[in-house]
């Protein structure tokens, strides 16, 4: 019997409780022992819950109970999640979490504490909801050098972009629909400005490179500027626009960004619809593999939290998940990264663009006075120096296969 | 340092050697120790190989060397792979393999021997090449009850069907192209008759249910009967045809089949092109997740073999992978499985079909005298009793989301 505590009985916490209850027998059969919830920490009143005796408002009860081997931190945010996690690890308890904000900002410290105390800090649920991605990266794909990750890591923005492309909705209407369905929060800024996706690519790149890839090192652009002209012309070109988080490792250095990106319709990520997530991983042996599924939601996310618990219960030693603080020169400057762009200008500026880039195919937007072209591939430094003489309206990165 | 031996220096074996060489440093860094190839067993002459001293033709040299902890059996087929694997496990060596035929037919016995000797028999590479699928099923997804698996598990047939749908090629021409590119063997029967896919779904279902799902219990149909009329009409309906291997578990009983299947174009598996594989897994918490990548090839398959090695080197205890022989009533009869079909008849038989099934929408083929309709969902038993009075030409199962 492995006894656990759940910190926070919100969306994910209640899911963890439900999954452990629903699959109690099958988990016990596969694991060879039961996983039992001993405490649920929540400051709210759950005295009418069928198992009200599990609830406590005092974290110390959990901390001081030697029987509790694993703590699921599913509160979210930095405080009090950080202090609880740190205290639990120091007390020799394993911590599993879905808290991407905490892992992205304090992961380095918490992993060090976990290592020093020979326990685990695990976070499969922090990226891609229930999709297995952390475990494959540190498990079956470890024979590879992972050179690139590209993914749709935020379900809310993918839902909005899907509505814009499939149903011709405006950004505002699609956002409203996402909010009505509970996919987007009342303050949707963390999703639509790309910060949520940045936290997730930060975690993935830190994990595969061993270098802490701080969110503030990630060039982050959201989807708020995408409009019906972009949708129209991208569609004409047989493409869709997705919010892509990408990361590279080259010669021991890291680059990561989040940006709306244009994908050909035969790109495996182009077909990821609605709130689904998809993550492409490029390894030097396996070539490319993709992981797809529900990137959020109560039970999918809980599935990942419980998966981590089972792995720890099976083998409660430190699994060696670890990354280091980054040195000052650990990051590749954006100016050195090669890209290609889908560039929007006013029709009147076509000649200026052709003067700078040479021969270009322009596609006009029917709905506005604007036109689009695809820039040749070059470093962002070179691109930015070239476009100073063209009044460009916007540029959308083109995702390569 | 973990010392290993490679049995068989063919496509996969040479890939394992190459991956271990190419990623020697990064593997050592992640694992904390080196993996070193001590022997390569092959009956052919490799005396001009740069590391010719690694080669041996005598399996006993490997078996008797206590330093060899892990053996990669990448010979394929049953003999001598079975005897070598058994002997290695009995000698306390872990065995990792890409040999789907051996795992599908002798897995139960070999897993028992591995367990009794506290070593591992691991086979990530036997399904989906380099795609992580076995590890997620027994790792991060263990919190779920897996109720269904549906996948494109054979790259050769997927390549052929892609050519037929995208380029309008005939089955024969597409097969020829696959052979010219080395995707299909000179005797392609194991692929095109569905046997290869049956072995793989056999392994997946045995793993998730714990019940040995023998290949001869799997209703298996290949793609040889698919012709240009089927392609034309499926296309008109916004669908593609894929060779789908599927398995269900219900109330502790198992069903699995392999058959050409019709998929709507927004089905996640419909967009899997060429030699790629895709595997959808349905869990009761995670809902559906999909794994995608190269299902074959030297380095992708080797990536999975090496991944298993690293996992064992990290933690060389028995991982508890196990399934049992099936009882007589372990399988759900085909007649009890509900399906829907894309049915082909002669145009002259439309009235007979409507008499049996009620109102039907028919779609005629331009290239022949035939017509198609979609049958209502019902058990296969009921369907088969209904069609006795209709001279149907063929039926293609419709894959549900």
């Amino acid at each position: 019997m492995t006894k656990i505590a759940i910190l926070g009985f919100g969306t994910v916490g209640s899911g963890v409780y439900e999954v452990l209850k629903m699959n109690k027998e099958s988990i016990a059969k596969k694991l060879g022992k039961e996983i039992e919830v001993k405490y649920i920490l929540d400051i709210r009143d759950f005295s009418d819950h069928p198992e009200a005796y599990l609830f406590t408002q005092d974290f110390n009860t959990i901390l001081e109970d030697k029987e509790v081997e694993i703590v699921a931190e599913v509160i979210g945010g930095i405080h009090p999640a950080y202090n609880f996690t740190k205290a639990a690890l120091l007390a020799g308890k394993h911590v599993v979490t879905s808290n991407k904000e905490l892992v992205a900002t304090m992961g380095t410290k918490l992993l060090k504490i976990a290592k020093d105390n020979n326990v685990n800090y695990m976070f499969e649920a922090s990226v891609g909801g229930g999709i297995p991605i952390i475990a494959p990266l540190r498990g079956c794909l470890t024979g590879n050098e992972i050179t690139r990750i590209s993914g749709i890591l935020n379900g809310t923005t993918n839902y909005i972009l899907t509505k814009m492309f499939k149903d011709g909705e405006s950004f505002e209407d699609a956002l409203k629909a996402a909010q009505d369905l509970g996919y987007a929060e009342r303050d949707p800024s963390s999703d639509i400005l790309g910060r949520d996706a940045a936290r997730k690519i930060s975690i993935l790149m830190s994990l595969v490179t061993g270098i802490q890839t701080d969110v503030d090192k990630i060039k982050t652009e959201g989807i708020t500027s995408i409009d019906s002209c972009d949708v129209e012309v991208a569609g004409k070109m047989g493409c869709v626009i997705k919010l892509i988080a990408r990361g590279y490792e080259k010669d021991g250095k890291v680059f990561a960004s989040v940006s709306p990106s244009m994908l050909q319709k035969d790109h495996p990520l182009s077909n990821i619809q609605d709130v689904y997530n998809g993550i492409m991983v490029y390894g030097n042996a396996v070539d490319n593999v993709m992981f797809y599924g529900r990137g959020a939601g109560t039970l999918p996310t809980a599935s990942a939290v419980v998966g981590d618990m089972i792995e720890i219960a099976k083998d409660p030693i430190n699994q060696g998940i670890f990354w280091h603080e980054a040195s000052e020169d650990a990051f590749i400057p954006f100016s050195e990264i090669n890209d290609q762009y889908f560039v929007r200008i006013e029709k009147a500026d076509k000649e200026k663009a052709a003067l700078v880039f040479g021969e270009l195919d322009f596609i006009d937007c029917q709905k506005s006075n604007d036109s689009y072209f695809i820039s040749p591939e070059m470093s962002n430094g070179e691109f930015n120096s070239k476009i100073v003489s063209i009044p460009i309206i916007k540029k959308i990165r083109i995702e390569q296969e």
Side-chain angles (χ1 to χ4, degrees), chain A:
Chain A
M1 170 99 64
T2 300
K3 296 198 178 180
I4 68 116
I6 300 170
L7 311 187
F9 202 63
T11 310
V12 182
S14 59
V16 171
Y17 173 83
E18 196 179 331
V19 170
L20 287 173
K21 213 175 169 72
M22 173 170 81
N23 295 341
K24 192 182 179 72
E25 279 177 39
S26 65
I27 291 170
K29 198 176 147 197
K30 284 181 265 190
L31 180 59
K33 58 184 168 183
E34 282 186 22
I35 292 184
E36 190 187 276
V37 180
K38 187 161 183 187
Y39 301 105
I40 301 172
L41 179 77
D42 204 294
I43 46 168
R44 292 168 295 175
D45 175 30
F46 286 97
S47 54
D48 57 352
H49 189 276
E51 295 191 277
Y53 62 89
L54 295 176
F55 286 82
T56 174
Q57 300 186 341
D58 180 10
F59 176 63
N60 285 319
T61 311
I62 295 166
L63 195 64
E64 286 160 14
D65 189 330
K66 296 275 178 228
E67 279 192 352
V68 175
E69 291 176 48
I70 303 172
V71 169
E73 185 274 291
V74 285
I75 307 168
I78 304 292
H79 301 291
Y82 176 72
N83 286 336
F84 287 176
T85 301
K86 187 178 165 183
L89 294 171
L90 286 171
K93 299 180 195 303
H94 306 272
V95 178
V96 298
T97 190
S98 58
N99 189 337
K100 58 212 165 216
E101 194 180 347
L102 188 61
V103 179
T105 52
M106 309 300 279
T108 315
K109 282 189 185 142
L110 292 169
L111 287 167
K112 173 86 169 54
I113 298 171
K115 196 181 176 189
D116 291 345
N117 288 274
N118 194 28
V119 287
N120 287 287
Y121 182 48
M122 287 173 79
F123 42 86
E124 180 64 67
S126 68
V127 182
I131 307 171
I133 175 68
I134 306 287
L137 285 174
R138 61 183 184 74
C140 7
L141 296 175
T142 15
N144 287 263
E145 291 180 9
I146 307 294
T147 53
R148 184 148 72 97
I149 294 177
S150 272
I152 295 170
L153 298 179
N154 179 270
T156 308
T157 47
N158 202 53
Y159 178 83
I160 293 170
L161 292 169
T162 302
K163 292 298 268 184
M164 291 173 75
F165 269 81
K166 276 199 149 177
D167 306 334
E169 286 194 9
S170 69
F171 172 77
E172 292 73 19
D173 288 348
L175 171 59
K176 176 81 174 41
Q179 286 173 316
D180 291 347
L181 287 164
Y183 296 155
E185 309 202 17
R186 257 171 300 170
D187 173 5
S189 53
S190 155
D191 292 325
I192 63 177
L193 298 178
R195 281 203 301 270
D196 177 76
R199 286 177 188 139
K200 292 168 180 168
I201 193 74
S202 153
I203 295 170
L204 294 180
M205 291 311 293
S206 299
L207 182 74
V208 300
T209 64
I211 297 167
Q212 178 185 326
T213 308
D214 259 351
V215 170
D216 63 15
K217 301 286 187 203
I218 296 172
K219 202 175 149 56
T220 303
E221 186 190 339
I223 63 163
T224 50
S225 78
I226 305 298
D227 67 18
S228 60
C229 279
D230 306 329
V231 171
E232 175 203 319
V233 179
K236 272 187 195 165
M237 299 175 69
C239 294
V240 293
I241 296 171
K242 297 287 187 187
L243 184 67
I244 299 288
R246 61 163 171 168
Y248 302 100
E249 177 173 16
K250 208 183 159 190
D251 305 329
K253 294 190 178 190
V254 185
F255 174 79
S257 75
V258 174
S259 64
S261 307
M262 203 159 91
L263 289 84
Q264 293 282 346
K265 278 205 177 126
D266 60 358
H267 191 290
L269 293 174
S270 74
N271 207 26
I272 313 273
Q273 312 287 359
D274 298 326
V275 293
Y276 280 84
N277 284 193
I279 308 156
M280 294 276 290
V281 175
Y282 300 79
N284 70 346
V286 77
D287 195 37
N288 54 356
V289 286
M290 186 177 77
F291 303 86
Y292 163 97
R294 291 189 180 275
T298 300
L299 292 185
T301 308
S303 157
V305 173
V306 172
D308 277 349
M309 281 182 189
I310 294 174
E311 192 170 336
I312 292 169
K314 206 187 276 178
D315 194 11
I317 57 160
N318 181 276
Q319 306 280 334
I321 310 175
F322 200 62
W323 57 73
H324 296 270
E325 279 184 31
S327 63
E328 283 203 2
D329 65 344
F331 298 95
I332 306 168
F334 177 58
S335 61
E336 291 179 15
I337 298 289
N338 276 9
D339 276 317
Q340 243 192 317
Y341 288 98
F342 177 54
V343 184
R344 178 169 172 179
I345 55 172
E346 286 190 17
K347 285 174 190 161
D349 293 323
K350 285 185 187 179
E351 266 182 47
K352 284 185 194 158
L355 267 175
V356 170
F357 288 109
E359 207 176 317
L360 293 171
D361 291 323
F362 292 98
I363 302 187
D364 292 344
C365 173
Q366 302 303 319
K367 295 180 186 140
S368 73
N369 232 353
D370 298 345
S371 189
Y372 293 77
F373 67 90
I374 303 285
S375 66
E377 188 179 323
M378 61 185 71
S379 73
N380 281 288
E382 191 182 350
F383 180 82
N384 285 335
S385 73
K386 277 189 187 288
I387 57 167
V388 287
S389 62
I390 318 170
I392 75 164
I393 297 169
K394 96 178 45 159
K395 60 188 210 306
I396 297 172
R397 193 177 68 81
I398 294 173
E399 172 74 9
Q400 312 292 343
E401 166 76 48

